[in-house]
Amino acid sequence: MDRIDRMRIRDRVKKIVEAEDSRPLSVAIVGQTGVGKSSLLNALFGTELEVGDITPTTKEPEPVRMKGERGHEIVFWDMPGFGESATADRGYLELYRTRLTECDVVLWALHADSRSVTYDLNVLERLLDSAGDETRRALVGKLTLVLTKVDMLAPPPWIFAKDRKTGFFAPGPELAPRITAKADYFEEVFLAPYAEWFRTRTYDDCGFSPPDGRFETTPGHVIFNGYLTGEECETLSREHPEFSKVFSRLRDNCRVICCSANFRYGLVELLGVVVNKIDLSASGRFRNAIGDMGDIQRVSVSDVRSAGTIVVWDTRRDRKVFDFRDVGL
């Protein structure tokens, strides 16, 4: 191959890479109506999708095109929430399957303070069981299960760690174990039954050497064929401590992520898992779109009061005794 041929090949490859990097990132979010899908997208990407507390606001899966922090385009498919009516749900199923297969990222949102999981399970089963093997594996690989509105769980309190004009919300010592237990339960119910369809991957930053036949390596990446449980991740990390970070990231792909759009809690964790799960060709586009993940969970002190408050009123004296909005921060 002469020098001119090599230059032509290099230019052709460069054009392909540039075309891929400039293609919009496609994100779909599904779940029952009212679980906070639009609010979560707004918190993650700084969009301004319509949010309603009373009636469903998303009726049609029309694309919403936004510019990320670095000017990269993101196409959101804020899908209609199922559970509004049986007739609507039947019409949505094929629409979901087609749109989710085409998207780079699929977020399945469930309300954290709900004990009723039958309806979501039924929709997920119908969606996956009616798909061919290739489509099913692709959908499971893209799926990230998200528990929304964890700020509504009780007992409180939530802790706001203040650092000058901003800070972070974190669950208190009573609430943190409940959030963990919720995530474990939803993982067991929703994800574990589809263990055979999991094929997760992450980047190789340590010269990974496969400990058994379930692992594969490609240039710069590690692939695990199967569902990596928390216990198995701990065992592998003890036996091969030099690869513990790789095992941890592969495990993250099988976990349920708990979030609060209101408190901006869990957003960095969710974005990290999403970056890990998306198709490798899309990872550059995703990072271009979201920019710096480090500040996404910061809440300004001036906004803390709007995140939640309580007023104590003395009915005998007919006066206010305490109002969180009056507390100096």
Side-chain angles (χ1 to χ4, degrees), residues 175-207:
L175 185 56
R178 287 202 63 212
I179 292 177
T180 299
K182 280 274 186 179
D184 291 343
Y185 169 72
F186 278 89
E187 179 185 330
E188 179 182 352
V189 172
F190 279 88
L191 300 182
Y194 297 98
E196 63 180 300
W197 300 103
F198 272 82
R199 190 171 190 265
T200 61
R201 57 191 161 192
T202 185
Y203 53 89
D204 183 2
D205 59 351
C206 58

Side-chain angles (χ1 to χ4, degrees), residues 100-157:
L100 301 189
T101 302
E102 295 173 352
C103 285
D104 297 307
V105 180
V106 177
L107 305 179
W108 193 292
L110 301 106
H111 198 304
D113 199 25
S114 173
R115 296 179 180 88
S116 177
V117 299
T118 304
Y119 203 91
D120 282 272
L121 275 174
N122 180 259
V123 174
L124 181 60
E125 289 171 359
R126 290 164 59 194
L127 184 66
L128 294 177
D129 292 349
S130 61
D133 288 356
E134 185 176 345
T135 300
R136 187 182 304 155
R137 191 176 299 279
L139 285 173
V140 170
K142 295 177 181 180
L143 182 64
T144 296
L145 205 65
V146 184
L147 293 189
T148 62
K149 303 186 179 182
V150 295
D151 55 286
M152 299 183 69
L153 294 176

